[in-house]
């Protein structure tokens, strides 16, 4: 190594220099990348700011813009029709479109400015018109450079495919190939991120359900303000601006509704064609059928178990019933056996009693006493108990006739006293109520009331509803001033039936006397004093019957039956009806039949009136 210390100084050698080395260096770093971009695009040093540098660090893909400029398109642009132009194509971003970033748009616009600005073109000698197409480039950057306006423009992107698959055989057979790109294409409008994928044929039920739930509740950010026909700022006053805003809002809502209907139709078609949905439905159906069959089997098993338990209970109840019936039969058989044995013993003792008394000639000294003792023997045999009969037979079988006769007579006397005592008690029981109440009732009954009471009892037999009330009303209707109640009638009927049969006979006798007196007026002198009908009386009655054409004697049951049968045989519309009826009853004339018919009609009418009066009194 040489060290130069000056012109006049000496050169000293300190050491030797090593040979140079050749190294391969690869340039890297953001500054080198910035330098390369600057050389490629001929940018100045002031082109890059801090933001551009930060973005360039992520890679050079955003700086590499596709070269798809169409000058023919630019030259054909009309500044007045800027709303109908393709802004992405104007800036040369037709291939990127919605995927273009803000940096892409900014760089594309700057590139267009450097190339197509009117000042740049004037320097090159190009003619610039008043309605230059550069206005369309500026308008494109104004729309795409503003995130809000760009979103409005992207919502109505003319290049977007709004078509949806139909319900065709192809859609069902190639479901995933047909519908997956459509859902991918429409997922760009979703407000919610991430958007679930359609999946494949092996997707689980949970994934498929989540996918369709997301799309059925799809929320789109797509809006249609870019298509507004008028801008509200053009309104001359507030009312006009409001009207313009109202019209634009209505048009947007209509387009939004149509868009949501399109999305819903897409999801419905996909759901209808999805083979996984059909598979899951079949699985769910089979699952429900399996559950239903399981429930049916469980219900059948339960019913069978209940039926088995019921049958066992019935069998047990049947066994108990049979056991009880068997026990009852055995008990009845034992009782019957005991009764039979007792009957045999009783029969044997009766036979012994009869034989002993018969052998001793009934302990009688004459025929009259013998007949009486024979009756007493039968009473003793029928009324004494087995033990008493045995005692009597032992007493009679002593061998001494006098002792036997004495014992026989003592038993006969004892039985008579016992029978007299029982008869006395029965009479006391029967006569006790009749001594006060019944006798008092008898005093209050008149002969006419007794007559109609007997008639009512015969007219309204047992089984008539409210019989005693009806009979009481029957008496009240026919006897003026009568106040008999159903209880009075019942007591009087019991009195006539049980206690004093002479009263009933007396009532019937008096009723016949009244009847005879009524029908035999004017001929009382013809009746003999002895109570016997003489020949003279018979001739008078026959003469009266010939004159009057009547038979005063009461109607017999046979005559009544003939009358009823004739009334049925000859109805009211038959000519000479009563002559034909009278011809069937030899002992009665036409007048007798008509009179009896009227009596029957009157009796039925009275019966109905009595029954209705009793029913009315009962209701009140």
């Amino acid at each position: 190594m040489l060290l130069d210390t000056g012109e006049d100084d000496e050169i000293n050698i300190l050491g030797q220099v090593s040979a140079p080395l050749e190294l391969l260096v690869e340039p890297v770093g953001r500054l080198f990348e910035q330098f390369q971009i600057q050389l490629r695009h001929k940018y100045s040093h002031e082109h890059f700011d801090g933001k551009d540098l930060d973005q360039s660090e992520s890679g050079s893909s955003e700086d590499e813009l596709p070269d798809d400029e169409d000058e023919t398109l630019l030259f054909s642009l009309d500044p007045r029709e800027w709303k109908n132009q393709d802004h992405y194509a104007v800036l040369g971003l037709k291939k990127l479109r919605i995927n273009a970033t803000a940096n892409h748009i900014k760089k594309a616009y700057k590139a267009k400015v450097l190339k197509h600005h009117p000042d740049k073109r004037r320097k090159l000698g190009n003619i610039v018109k008043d309605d230059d197409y550069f206005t369309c480039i500026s308008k494109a950057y104004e729309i795409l450079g503003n995130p809000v306006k760009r979103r409005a423009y992207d919502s109505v992107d003319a290049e977007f495919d709004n078509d949806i698959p139909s319900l065709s055989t192809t859609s069902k057979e190639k479901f995933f190939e047909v519908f997956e790109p459509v859902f991918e294409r429409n997922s760009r409008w979703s407000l919610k991120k991430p958007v679930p994928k359609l999946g494949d044929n092996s997707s689980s039920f949970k994934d498929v359900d989540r996918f369709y739930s997301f799309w059925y509740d799809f929320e789109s950010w797509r809006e249609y303000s870019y298509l507004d026909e008028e801008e509200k700022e053009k309104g001359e006053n507030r009312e006009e601006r409001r009207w313009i805003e109202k019209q634009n809002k209505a048009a947007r809502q209509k387009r939004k509704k149509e868009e949501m209907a399109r999305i819903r139709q897409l999801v419905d078609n996909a759901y209808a064609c999805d083979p996984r949905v059909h598979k899951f439905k079949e699985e769910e159906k089979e699952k429900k059928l399996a559950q239903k069959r399981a429930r049916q089997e469980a219900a059948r098993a339960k019913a069978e178990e209940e039926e088995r338990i019921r049958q066992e209970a019935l069998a047990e109840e049947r066994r108990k019933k049979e056991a009880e019936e068997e026990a009852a039969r055995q008990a009845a058989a034992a009782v019957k056996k005991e009764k039979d044995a007792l009957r045999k013993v009783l029969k044997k003792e009766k036979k012994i009693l009869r034989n002993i008394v018969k052998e001793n000639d009934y302990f009688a000294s004459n025929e009259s006493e013998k007949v009486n003792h024979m009756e007493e023997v039968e009473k003793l045999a029928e009324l004494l108990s087995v033990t008493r009969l045995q005692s009597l037979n032992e007493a009679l079988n002593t061998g001494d006739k006098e002792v036997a006769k004495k014992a026989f007579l003592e038993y006969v006397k004892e039985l008579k006293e016992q029978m007299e005592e029982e008869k006395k008690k029965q009479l006391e029981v029967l006569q006790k109520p009749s001594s006060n109440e019944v006798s008092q009732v008898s005093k209050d009954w008149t002969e006419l009331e007794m007559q109609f009471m007997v008639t009512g009892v015969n007219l309204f037999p047992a089984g008539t509803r409210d019989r005693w009330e009806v009979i009481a009303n029957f008496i009240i209707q026919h006897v003026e001033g009568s106040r008999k109640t159903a209880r009075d009638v019942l007591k009087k009927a019991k009195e006539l039936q049980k206690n004093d049969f002479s009263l009933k006979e007396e009532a019937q006798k008096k009723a016949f006397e009244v009847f005879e007196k009524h029908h035999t007026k004017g001929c009382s002198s013809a009746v003999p004093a002895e109570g016997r009908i003489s020949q003279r009386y018979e001739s008078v009655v026959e003469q009266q019957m010939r004159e009057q054409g009547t038979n005063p004697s009461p109607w017999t049951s046979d005559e009544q039956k003939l009358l009823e049968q004739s009334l049925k045989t000859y109805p009211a519309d038959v000519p000479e009806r009563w002559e034909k009826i009278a011809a069937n009853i030899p002992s009665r004339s036409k007048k007798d039949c008509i009179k009896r018919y009227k009596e029957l009609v009157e009796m039925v009418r009275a019966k109905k009136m009595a029954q209705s009066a009793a029913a009315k009194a009962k209701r009140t």
Side-chain angles (χ1 to χ4, degrees):
M1 181 178 180
L2 299 176
L3 179 59
D4 188 4
T5 58
E7 295 180 357
D8 297 335
D9 295 336
E10 294 180 357
I11 297 173
N12 298 324
I13 299 173
L14 299 176
Q16 295 180 353
V17 178
S18 61
L21 298 174
E22 293 182 2
L23 300 175
L24 181 60
V25 178
E26 182 179 359
V28 294
R30 62 175 184 169
L31 295 177
F32 177 78
E33 183 181 6
Q34 178 182 343
F35 177 73
Q36 293 296 328
I37 293 173
Q38 183 179 351
L39 290 177
R40 182 187 306 170
H41 296 286
K42 299 179 182 179
Y43 292 154
S44 63
H45 292 287
E46 292 82 6
H47 178 78
F48 293 97
D49 53 10
K51 182 178 179 181
D52 293 333
L53 291 175
D54 293 337
Q55 290 179 353
S56 63
E57 291 180 1
S58 61
S60 61
S61 59
E62 292 188 357
D63 299 311
E64 296 178 358
L65 297 174
D67 188 10
D68 55 356
E69 181 179 85
D70 189 355
E71 292 186 355
T72 304
L73 174 64
L74 295 177
F75 295 153
S76 63
L77 293 176
D78 186 357
R80 291 171 295 182
E81 299 294 334
W82 62 269
K83 200 167 189 177
N84 297 327
Q85 70 182 14
D86 187 351
H87 298 305
Y88 286 110
V90 170
L91 294 182
L93 301 173
K94 189 174 182 178
K95 294 181 180 179
L96 293 177
R97 301 193 72 79
I98 196 172
N99 295 322
T101 63
N103 196 30
H104 284 151
I105 294 171
K106 186 176 181 180
K107 290 179 181 179
Y109 174 66
K110 287 182 179 180
K112 296 296 181 182
V113 170
L114 292 176
K115 186 175 181 180
H116 297 283
H117 194 275
D119 294 338
K120 295 288 185 180
R121 287 186 286 132
R122 284 193 187 97
K123 289 181 180 180
L124 296 175
N126 295 333
I127 300 174
V128 179
K129 301 179 181 180
D130 294 336
D131 53 349
D132 191 67
Y133 66 86
F134 186 76
T135 305
C136 296
I137 297 174
S138 301
K139 201 66 178 177
Y141 181 71
E142 179 184 348
I143 298 298
L144 300 179
N146 188 328
V148 177
K149 293 182 178 181
R150 182 185 177 186
R151 187 166 191 171
Y153 175 73
D154 288 339
S155 297
V156 296
D157 190 356
E159 298 293 329
F160 181 76
D161 185 8
N162 287 310
D163 294 336
I164 60 175
S166 62
L167 295 173
S168 61
T169 306
T170 305
S171 300
K172 294 180 179 179
E173 293 177 353
K174 299 181 179 181
F175 172 75
F176 297 100
E177 292 82 353
V178 173
F179 281 94
E180 186 172 11
V182 181
F183 279 106
E184 289 290 341
R185 185 168 65 244
N186 284 274
S187 62
R188 62 184 285 187
W189 311 121
S190 178
L191 280 173
K192 299 178 182 178
K193 300 292 183 179
V195 179
K197 301 296 182 180
L198 180 61
D200 52 21
N201 204 21
S202 61
S203 299
S204 63
F205 174 81
K206 184 177 180 181
D207 295 336
V208 176
D209 182 67
R210 183 169 62 251
F211 173 81
Y212 283 106
S213 298
F214 177 87
W215 280 97
Y216 272 117
D217 297 332
F218 186 76
E219 295 182 15
S220 175
W221 56 262
R222 197 174 189 184
E223 51 96 8
Y224 300 91
S225 60
Y226 186 81
L227 299 179
D228 292 347
E229 295 183 1
E230 297 186 52
E231 298 179 4
K232 67 177 183 178
E233 288 79 7
K234 294 181 180 180
E236 297 180 356
N237 49 48
R238 183 171 63 181
E239 287 74 13
E240 186 175 357
R241 288 193 294 270
R242 286 183 177 178
W243 183 84
I244 293 172
E245 178 63 23
K246 183 178 180 181
Q247 296 298 319
N248 292 335
K249 186 177 180 181
R252 294 174 200 166
Q253 290 178 349
K254 182 180 179 181
R255 293 187 180 98
K256 184 73 173 180
K257 187 176 181 180
E258 293 174 354
E259 170 65 10
M260 296 311 298
R262 185 185 69 85
I263 295 294
R264 183 58 181 260
Q265 188 64 42
L266 168 64
V267 182
D268 288 341
N269 291 352
Y271 190 85
C273 297
D274 196 340
R276 301 170 300 179
V277 174
H278 294 287
K279 182 180 69 174
F280 293 146
K281 284 184 177 180
E282 290 296 328
E283 292 177 355
E284 183 67 18
K285 184 178 179 180
E286 290 296 328
K287 183 178 178 181
K288 288 183 179 179
L289 288 175
Q291 292 176 353
K292 184 178 180 180
R293 286 193 292 268
R295 288 195 299 269
Q296 290 176 350
E297 289 295 331
R300 184 162 48 252
K302 183 178 179 181
E304 291 176 356
E305 181 66 18
E306 291 177 353
E307 181 65 18
R308 185 184 63 79
I309 295 174
R310 190 178 70 84
Q311 291 296 335
E312 291 180 355
L314 290 175
E316 182 65 24
E317 184 178 356
R318 194 182 303 111
R319 286 193 294 271
K320 289 182 179 179
K321 187 175 181 181
E322 290 175 356
E324 292 175 357
E325 291 177 354
E326 183 63 26
R329 280 196 297 269
Q330 292 178 359
V335 172
K336 183 179 179 182
K337 186 177 181 181
E338 184 178 354
K339 286 183 178 179
D340 292 340
L342 184 63
R343 192 180 299 110
K344 289 179 180 179
V345 173
L346 183 61
K347 184 177 180 181
K348 180 181 178 182
E349 295 297 331
K350 288 180 180 179
K351 186 177 181 181
I352 294 172
L353 174 64
R354 291 188 181 99
N355 292 333
I356 294 174
V357 175
K358 186 176 181 180
E359 290 174 357
N360 291 281
D361 198 18
Y362 295 98
F363 303 108
S365 58
N366 53 47
E367 288 296 327
S368 176
E369 188 179 9
K370 184 178 181 180
V371 172
N372 291 333
H373 286 184
M374 289 175 67
E375 293 178 358
E376 297 299 334
V377 168
E378 294 300 324
K379 289 182 181 179
L380 291 173
E382 295 298 330
L383 298 178
L384 292 181
S385 62
V386 176
T387 55
R388 296 281 292 167
L389 280 174
Q390 290 175 348
S391 301
L392 177 59
N393 290 334
E394 291 177 359
L396 294 178
N397 205 15
T398 57
D400 190 350
K401 186 176 180 180
E402 294 297 328
V403 175
K405 181 178 181 179
K406 184 178 180 182
F408 174 75
L409 294 177
E410 287 179 357
Y411 271 87
V412 169
K413 182 180 179 182
E414 184 180 351
L415 180 61
K416 286 183 178 180
E417 290 177 355
Q418 184 178 357
M419 291 175 65
E420 289 293 332
E421 186 69 23
E422 290 181 358
K423 186 176 181 181
K424 189 181 295 184
K425 289 181 180 179
Q426 290 178 358
L427 289 175
E428 288 178 357
V429 171
L430 293 174
Q431 293 177 359
K432 186 175 182 180
S434 60
S435 60
N436 297 324
E437 298 179 4
V438 178
S439 60
Q440 183 66 28
V441 173
S442 300
K443 293 179 182 179
D444 296 339
W445 283 78
T446 63
E447 293 181 0
L448 192 59
E449 287 175 341
M450 288 282 293
Q451 177 185 350
F452 279 101
M453 196 273 289
V454 174
T455 304
V457 170
N458 295 326
L459 185 61
F460 304 102
T464 304
R465 186 174 182 180
D466 300 327
R467 182 190 184 195
W468 303 110
E469 288 82 355
V470 173
I471 295 173
N473 281 279
F474 179 76
I475 296 172
I476 292 171
Q477 289 175 3
H478 292 81
V479 180
E480 186 178 358
S482 177
R483 295 291 183 271
K484 299 302 180 186
T485 63
R487 182 174 294 181
D488 297 335
V489 176
L490 179 60
K491 288 182 178 179
K492 189 63 178 176
K494 287 183 177 180
E495 178 186 358
L496 293 175
Q497 183 178 3
K498 294 182 180 179
N499 299 327
D500 195 351
F501 295 100
S502 61
L503 293 176
K504 183 176 181 180
E505 294 177 357
E506 183 180 355
Q508 292 178 350
K509 183 178 180 181
K510 289 183 178 180
F512 180 75
E513 290 176 357
V514 172
F515 175 81
E516 186 179 18
K517 184 179 180 180
H518 177 72
H519 287 280
T520 57
K521 287 181 179 180
C523 59
S524 58
S525 59
V527 181
E530 293 82 6
R532 185 177 57 83
I533 300 176
S534 65
Q535 186 177 2
R536 174 183 169 84
Y537 177 73
E538 290 178 356
S539 62
V540 172
V541 172
E542 291 176 358
Q543 183 180 0
Q544 183 181 7
M545 290 177 63
R546 285 194 300 271
E547 292 176 356
Q548 298 180 358
T550 59
N551 185 358
S553 61
W555 282 69
T556 64
S557 59
D558 294 336
E559 291 174 342
Q560 182 70 27
K561 289 180 181 179
L562 289 173
L563 176 62
E564 293 175 357
Q565 185 65 33
S566 300
L567 289 172
K568 294 179 181 178
T569 306
Y570 304 107
D573 56 349
V574 175
E576 299 181 356
R577 180 191 185 195
W578 293 107
E579 286 79 358
K580 295 179 180 179
I581 293 175
N584 291 337
I585 308 174
S587 59
R588 297 292 174 179
S589 65
K590 175 182 175 181
K591 289 184 179 180
D592 291 333
C593 295
I594 295 174
K595 185 178 179 181
R596 182 59 178 171
Y597 176 74
K598 291 182 179 179
E599 290 176 357
L600 293 175
V601 171
E602 189 66 27
M603 190 180 300
V604 172
R605 185 182 295 111
K607 184 177 181 180
K608 291 182 178 179
M609 290 176 61
Q611 288 177 339
S612 61
K616 184 177 180 181
K618 188 176 182 180
R619 287 196 298 270
T620 56

